Amino acid sequence: MTVSVKQYLKDNREQNLERLKRFLAIPSVSTTSSHKEDVLKAGEFVRDYLNEIGFEKVNLEETGGHPLVYAEWMGAEGAPTALFYGHYDVQPAEPLELWDSEPFQAEVRDERIFARGASDDKGQVFMHLAVFEAFMKTQGALPINVKVIIEGEEEIGSENLNPYLKNNLEKLAADFALVSDSGMVETGQPTMLYGLKGFTGLEVTLRGAKRDLHSGLYGGAVKNPAMALSQLLAGMKNEHEKVLIEGFYDGIEELDQEERDLMNAAPGEDYTRSLDIPETTPEDGFTVNEHLMARPTFEVNGIFGGYQGEGTKTIIPSEATAKLTCRLVPGQDPMIIQDLLVKHIEKHVPKGVHVSVKREPLSAKAYKVDPAHPLIQSAAESLSAAFGKETVFVRLGGSIPVVESFDQLFGIPVILLGFGTPEDNLHAPNESFPVNHFDLGMEVLVDYYAKAAKLN
Amino acid sequence: MTVSVKQYLKDNREQNLERLKRFLAIPSVSTTSSHKEDVLKAGEFVRDYLNEIGFEKVNLEETGGHPLVYAEWMGAEGAPTALFYGHYDVQPAEPLELWDSEPFQAEVRDERIFARGASDDKGQVFMHLAVFEAFMKTQGALPINVKVIIEGEEEIGSENLNPYLKNNLEKLAADFALVSDSGMVETGQPTMLYGLKGFTGLEVTLRGAKRDLHSGLYGGAVKNPAMALSQLLAGMKNEHEKVLIEGFYDGIEELDQEERDLMNAAPGEDYTRSLDIPETTPEDGFTVNEHLMARPTFEVNGIFGGYQGEGTKTIIPSEATAKLTCRLVPGQDPMIIQDLLVKHIEKHVPKGVHVSVKREPLSAKAYKVDPAHPLIQSAAESLSAAFGKETVFVRLGGSIPVVESFDQLFGIPVILLGFGTPEDNLHAPNESFPVNHFDLGMEVLVDYYAKAAKLN
């Protein structure tokens, strides 16, 4: 059965590429109000395509901001239902002079499609749509039920997505979610992303005297807030990269040897070369891959206080500030971790300074699906088969907010089938996407949609 | 004998105030090239006055920059020779709109003389000149030999002073130096300043990756330079304000109880109120006054790295920098201390980051004269007598470069007879000087010059 679907995709390859180029030609830059009409046009492109394929209830849904496209095909009785998510908006193309070809005039060269959105996320959204079309044209049906939401505000924070999801829990109910808005660890290296980190943060300011002081006239009488901040921060992480916040690691699941092996099998960058660092410094007892993927982190994102100009100014700064964020793993609740941070700061602030804390209002919970889950294993098999290479299993240190939303609101597994590569230049000039990832990715999807039908 | 000198000053009080006002009326702003002629005029004012008094070898000496006035009176055979230093240049008056009267049109109100330079240093220089005149007019001689250097570049760093001193060691040879360019701890509180701190510093930068990194994608692999810097700094001073640099305190003289008592007798500010700090934090085992005056300090003058804007940016900064300076006490060599700092940094820099150090080229040695020295005791007696209050003995946390130069080049005691007050607004709008400090200060000088004659 799938042969003919795949054959259809081969037969229509040029046509699909041309249609993708038309999609990429719409400058649907959601961050820029002057592109409002273009964003809408891209939404209409998706809507019209889904109508043409034969989806039902196809609609540009009002959200208060840019609309999102909803559509569903529920004809696979007894088969599971997938909720497919993607976005049709893109980042600005500026600075334009750094592009080697027009950002909204896709060009294929060096076996890549160059255009804003080629990888993030129009290209990947389009692959699903083309696969849906191929199924419908050759089989008259999809192997599973599919609900589609393609939003137009991902690049501006998806502000209206969560309210929409919450208001449509029943309508959007599905057995699993499918997101293609991520990438592989290397070009051509099939990658199964089965976990993401959560996030919390805060800003701490220590204030000494109400103004900067002459270090000669006051040095010895007052606490130096920059030193106080250093002492406070140094008490929050030791030289073995262990976070010293009481309770920070509580409730985190042990990393078993099987999963460690899985992570360590993923190819690693030679960071000392690529980043020009003297050595890597993972947490004591863990490899770099293990820490990157499965251990929480605590980072100073910024620190500042006192004189920053040329030369010397002999002051005792009035205040010093640090911006702190943590990446969290399953078992850590972002709100509880933030509380622990605040408690630690209040308990350990050196004497002689006033302390104030600004809590970061945004947070995210970590997400993880069991790598042995049949939906994950099937995806990995489809990836390995199409790319002719064993799939690696990785967890990512970053967050993808929509994944957390699906996890929290629907409690369903989220399958991250990402086809991008580290060389795609996301959000940068010369964004591109490998042509063969376009071809092979669609093979994966054909295979995976068919496999998913049997997993109910 | 001194009665008639003092009487002469009383009789000529208005005349002297008028002459001082003419001196203050010359906008001798050395920092501003458009005032070059005015700076010269102020030098000529001093030169002409010294000529009129009867000084010899009076000359505007070329220095490469603004000239300095040299003059001498060597007629007191067998008596000691004083080297009197002051400066006739002033800070800019800007912002002019914050002055309540014209900065270069001296006005007496609220028992203070308001004008740029009233306290720093024209007013204090003038007091010596008027006293010299009084001695010459009434006695036909000064009680001691006096060599005078009044420079025109103090407010721009005295760049040409040291070369001049070095080239004229013999000509300037004296038994002690006299500097009136400082102040008292409180208005009306006679103060004997018998020590100054030295100074050294450096800037340290820790670099991790060659660019800022996404904290989700790299957190756990690389050392955070802002955290590394905090750990490094926290290892340089403990929570009891003890500097942990190996060898930092070596060679510092013990503070005996007598000197502690002297320092603790000086009035102290209520810092928690005046600076709005929760508490003072002197070094363990020392009072605030003791630390301020006689113990070295180690301060972070500035710290910066990573994101400083609004909200959160989840990066691992590429680098972080701290600007560090120490105030030093007798027994500490600034160059050796700088070496110790560098050694400590190189030894203790956390792994995973590159370190670079920029040494501050300027430095100063601490200065101290034995408070029991007869020249100090006599000065204190003259101060107590004129102001009708017991003189307090203090050491200052700051440096006065000319004092270090006199100490290093001539090896003579430097007597700091300062008549300024904390309310003088030095370098700020509405600079002023108490009229009675002008009167009483001249009484002190008459008394002191007479006393010094007997101290050979």
Side-chain angles (χ1 to χ4, degrees):
Chain A
M1 160 182 131
T2 57
V3 177
S4 64
V5 181
K6 289 182 182 171
Q7 191 58 48
Y8 179 89
L9 286 167
K10 271 181 195 142
D11 296 343
N12 288 274
R13 187 171 181 275
E14 286 316 304
Q15 217 169 307
N16 279 339
L17 270 174
E18 284 314 307
R19 193 194 276 240
L20 170 59
K21 284 180 183 178
R22 289 201 297 280
F23 190 25
L24 294 171
I26 308 166
S28 49
V29 181
S30 53
T31 57
T32 315
S33 59
S34 62
H35 282 293
K36 192 163 186 278
E37 282 303 305
D38 297 314
V39 179
L40 182 63
K41 263 186 219 164
E44 289 167 347
F45 177 99
V46 173
R47 177 197 63 191
D48 295 346
Y49 196 178
L50 285 161
N51 265 325
E52 185 188 320
I53 293 165
F55 269 75
E56 289 164 359
K57 299 191 184 167
V58 182
N59 190 34
L60 270 175
E61 312 262 278
E62 293 295 336
T63 64
H66 300 300
L68 67 75
V69 182
Y70 177 79
E72 62 181 45
W73 189 90
M74 299 297 288
E77 210 176 322
T81 301
L83 178 62
F84 168 57
Y85 165 90
H87 65 92
Y88 64 80
D89 64 323
V90 297
Q91 282 277 315
E94 284 76 11
L96 299 177
E97 65 276 15
L98 296 185
W99 285 78
D100 295 327
S101 55
E102 290 298 318
F104 297 106
Q105 209 171 300
E107 182 178 301
V108 175
R109 61 177 190 275
D110 306 331
E111 292 166 18
R112 283 184 162 263
I113 307 166
F114 285 84
R116 171 59 81 233
S119 173
D120 179 17
D121 184 34
K122 282 174 170 172
Q124 301 200 50
V125 164
F126 188 87
M127 288 157 66
H128 285 261
L129 302 185
V131 165
F132 295 149
E133 178 196 329
F135 272 112
M136 294 297 279
K137 285 282 161 100
T138 56
Q139 318 289 324
L142 303 183
I144 60 174
N145 301 300
V146 175
K147 294 175 177 176
V148 171
I149 43 175
I150 314 290
E151 71 158 324
E153 296 188 301
E154 199 274 346
E155 301 295 0
I156 51 174
S158 301
E159 201 189 331
N160 296 299
L161 180 65
N162 257 3
Y164 177 82
L165 298 179
K166 277 182 196 157
N167 291 333
N168 293 280
L169 290 179
E170 226 169 298
K171 171 170 157 178
L172 300 173
D175 298 299
F176 67 100
L178 198 53
V179 176
S180 292
D181 192 19
S182 54
M184 301 179 167
V185 293
E186 281 175 4
T187 303
Q189 171 58 61
T191 304
M192 199 60 236
L193 182 55
Y194 69 98
L196 297 165
K197 284 187 184 170
F199 162 87
T200 188
L202 57 76
E203 185 180 301
V204 56
T205 296
L206 302 186
R207 184 172 73 70
K210 59 187 175 182
R211 58 182 167 88
D212 290 349
L213 299 175
H214 187 294
S215 76
L217 300 182
Y218 293 92
V222 306
K223 182 76 188 181
N224 184 309
M227 177 54 85
L229 184 63
S230 297
Q231 291 169 334
L232 180 65
L233 294 177
M236 296 174 95
K237 205 194 220 181
N238 71 14
E239 71 272 30
H240 308 297
E241 301 298 313
K242 287 282 178 202
V243 177
L244 305 175
I245 314 293
E246 212 179 319
F248 186 77
Y249 294 107
D250 288 359
I252 296 179
E253 59 183 25
E254 282 276 327
L255 214 54
D256 61 32
Q257 196 52 49
E258 201 175 347
E259 200 177 347
R260 287 188 182 220
D261 293 344
L262 211 56
M263 291 172 171
N264 292 321
E269 212 172 311
D270 178 359
Y271 295 107
T272 56
R273 270 192 64 175
S274 63
L275 302 175
D276 185 25
I277 55 173
E279 59 184 305
T280 54
T281 54
E283 181 185 347
D284 209 22
F286 297 91
T287 65
V288 168
N289 270 8
E290 287 163 9
H291 194 172
L292 281 173
M293 297 185 196
R295 295 291 296 176
T297 63
F298 172 89
E299 300 290 354
V300 183
N301 308 121
I303 190 167
F304 51 100
Y307 183 64
Q308 302 191 19
E310 278 288 303
T312 295
K313 190 174 178 190
T314 51
I315 56 164
I316 301 170
S318 168
E319 57 177 47
T321 297
K323 287 171 180 280
L324 310 173
T325 53
C326 298
R327 299 283 182 172
L328 308 175
V329 298
Q332 290 180 302
D333 181 279
M335 292 299 90
I336 292 174
I337 296 293
Q338 196 181 54
D339 285 345
L340 294 177
L341 291 174
V342 173
K343 247 183 239 164
H344 180 100
I345 288 169
E346 285 169 351
K347 185 172 168 191
H348 295 280
V349 60
K351 60 182 190 169
V353 292
H354 305 276
V355 62
S356 66
V357 168
K358 237 188 254 175
R359 290 168 183 255
E360 163 63 45
L362 296 178
S363 70
K365 259 194 164 159
Y367 170 74
K368 192 193 152 194
V369 59
D370 181 356
H373 193 292
L375 282 163
I376 292 285
Q377 287 297 323
S378 304
E381 284 162 22
S382 300
L383 281 162
S384 299
F387 282 84
K389 206 170 174 185
E390 199 64 33
T391 297
V392 294
F393 286 75
V394 302
R395 289 162 66 179
L396 190 71
S399 305
I400 302 179
V402 69
V403 175
E404 199 211 345
S405 298
F406 287 162
D407 182 39
Q408 300 293 307
L409 294 173
F410 300 105
I412 53 176
V414 184
I415 310 304
L416 294 154
L417 261 179
F419 301 105
T421 80
E423 291 80 38
D424 287 0
N425 286 336
L426 305 187
H427 297 203
N430 295 317
E431 178 176 348
S432 69
F433 188 70
V435 178
N436 74 328
H437 279 217
F438 181 71
D439 296 325
L440 299 174
M442 287 192 291
E443 277 187 42
V444 171
L445 294 177
V446 171
D447 210 49
Y448 186 60
Y449 277 117
K451 276 208 180 78
K454 297 170 197 147
L455 292 177
N456 218 13
Chain B
M1 156 182 134
T2 56
V3 176
S4 66
V5 180
K6 288 181 182 171
Q7 192 56 48
Y8 179 89
L9 287 167
K10 271 178 195 145
D11 296 344
N12 288 273
R13 187 172 182 275
E14 287 315 302
Q15 220 170 304
N16 280 338
L17 270 174
E18 283 314 306
R19 194 195 275 240
L20 169 59
K21 283 180 182 177
R22 289 202 298 279
F23 189 25
L24 294 171
I26 308 166
S28 50
V29 182
S30 53
T31 56
T32 315
S33 58
S34 62
H35 282 294
K36 192 163 188 277
E37 283 304 304
D38 297 315
V39 179
L40 182 63
K41 265 186 216 161
E44 288 167 346
F45 177 99
V46 174
R47 178 195 63 190
D48 296 346
Y49 196 179
L50 286 161
N51 265 324
E52 185 188 317
I53 293 165
F55 270 75
E56 290 164 358
K57 299 191 184 167
V58 181
N59 189 36
L60 270 176
E61 313 262 278
E62 293 295 337
T63 63
H66 300 300
L68 67 77
V69 182
Y70 178 79
E72 64 180 45
W73 189 89
M74 299 297 288
E77 211 177 319
T81 301
L83 178 62
F84 168 56
Y85 164 90
H87 65 92
Y88 63 79
D89 65 323
V90 297
Q91 282 276 318
E94 282 76 11
L96 299 176
E97 66 277 14
L98 296 184
W99 284 78
D100 295 327
S101 55
E102 290 299 316
F104 296 107
Q105 210 171 301
E107 183 178 298
V108 175
R109 63 178 189 274
D110 306 330
E111 294 167 15
R112 284 185 162 262
I113 307 166
F114 284 84
R116 170 60 80 231
S119 174
D120 179 18
D121 184 35
K122 283 175 170 172
Q124 301 201 51
V125 163
F126 188 86
M127 287 157 67
H128 285 262
L129 301 185
V131 166
F132 295 149
E133 178 196 329
F135 271 112
M136 294 297 279
K137 285 283 162 94
T138 56
Q139 317 289 325
L142 303 183
I144 60 172
N145 301 300
V146 175
K147 295 174 177 175
V148 171
I149 42 176
I150 313 290
E151 69 158 323
E153 296 188 301
E154 199 272 347
E155 301 296 0
I156 51 174
S158 301
E159 200 188 332
N160 296 298
L161 180 65
N162 257 1
Y164 177 82
L165 297 178
K166 278 183 194 155
N167 290 334
N168 293 279
L169 291 179
E170 225 169 297
K171 171 171 157 179
L172 300 173
D175 297 301
F176 67 99
L178 199 53
V179 175
S180 292
D181 191 20
S182 54
M184 301 178 167
V185 294
E186 281 175 4
T187 303
Q189 171 58 62
T191 304
M192 200 60 236
L193 182 55
Y194 69 99
L196 298 165
K197 284 189 184 169
F199 162 86
T200 188
L202 57 77
E203 185 179 301
V204 56
T205 297
L206 302 186
R207 184 172 74 70
K210 59 187 175 183
R211 58 183 168 85
D212 291 348
L213 299 175
H214 187 294
S215 76
L217 299 183
Y218 292 93
V222 306
K223 183 75 188 180
N224 184 311
M227 177 54 84
L229 184 63
S230 297
Q231 291 169 334
L232 180 65
L233 294 177
M236 296 173 95
K237 206 194 221 180
N238 71 15
E239 70 273 29
H240 308 296
E241 301 297 314
K242 288 281 177 202
V243 177
L244 305 175
I245 314 293
E246 212 179 321
F248 186 77
Y249 294 107
D250 288 359
I252 296 179
E253 59 182 27
E254 281 276 328
L255 213 54
D256 61 33
Q257 196 52 48
E258 200 175 349
E259 199 178 349
R260 287 189 182 219
D261 292 345
L262 211 56
M263 290 173 172
N264 292 321
E269 213 171 311
D270 178 359
Y271 295 107
T272 54
R273 271 190 65 173
S274 63
L275 301 175
D276 185 25
I277 56 172
E279 58 184 306
T280 55
T281 54
E283 181 186 346
D284 208 23
F286 297 90
T287 66
V288 168
N289 270 8
E290 288 163 8
H291 195 173
L292 281 173
M293 297 186 196
R295 294 291 296 175
T297 62
F298 171 90
E299 300 290 355
V300 183
N301 308 121
I303 191 166
F304 50 100
Y307 183 64
Q308 302 191 19
E310 278 288 305
T312 295
K313 190 174 178 189
T314 51
I315 56 164
I316 301 169
S318 167
E319 57 177 46
T321 296
K323 287 171 181 282
L324 310 173
T325 53
C326 298
R327 300 284 181 171
L328 308 176
V329 298
Q332 290 181 302
D333 181 279
M335 293 298 89
I336 291 174
I337 295 293
Q338 196 181 55
D339 285 345
L340 293 177
L341 291 175
V342 173
K343 246 182 240 165
H344 180 100
I345 289 168
E346 285 170 351
K347 185 172 168 189
H348 294 280
V349 61
K351 61 182 190 169
V353 292
H354 305 276
V355 62
S356 66
V357 168
K358 238 189 253 175
R359 289 168 183 256
E360 163 63 45
L362 295 178
S363 70
K365 257 193 163 158
Y367 170 76
K368 193 194 153 195
V369 57
D370 180 356
H373 192 292
L375 283 163
I376 293 285
Q377 286 296 323
S378 304
E381 283 163 24
S382 300
L383 281 162
S384 299
F387 281 84
K389 207 170 173 182
E390 201 66 34
T391 298
V392 294
F393 286 75
V394 302
R395 289 162 65 179
L396 190 70
S399 306
I400 303 180
V402 68
V403 176
E404 199 210 346
S405 298
F406 287 163
D407 183 40
Q408 300 293 308
L409 294 173
F410 300 105
I412 53 175
V414 184
I415 310 304
L416 294 155
L417 261 179
F419 301 105
T421 79
E423 291 80 38
D424 286 0
N425 287 336
L426 305 186
H427 298 202
N430 295 316
E431 177 176 349
S432 69
F433 188 69
V435 179
N436 75 328
H437 279 217
F438 181 71
D439 296 326
L440 298 174
M442 286 192 293
E443 276 188 42
V444 172
L445 294 177
V446 171
D447 211 49
Y448 186 61
Y449 277 117
K451 276 209 181 79
K454 296 170 196 144
L455 292 177
N456 217 12

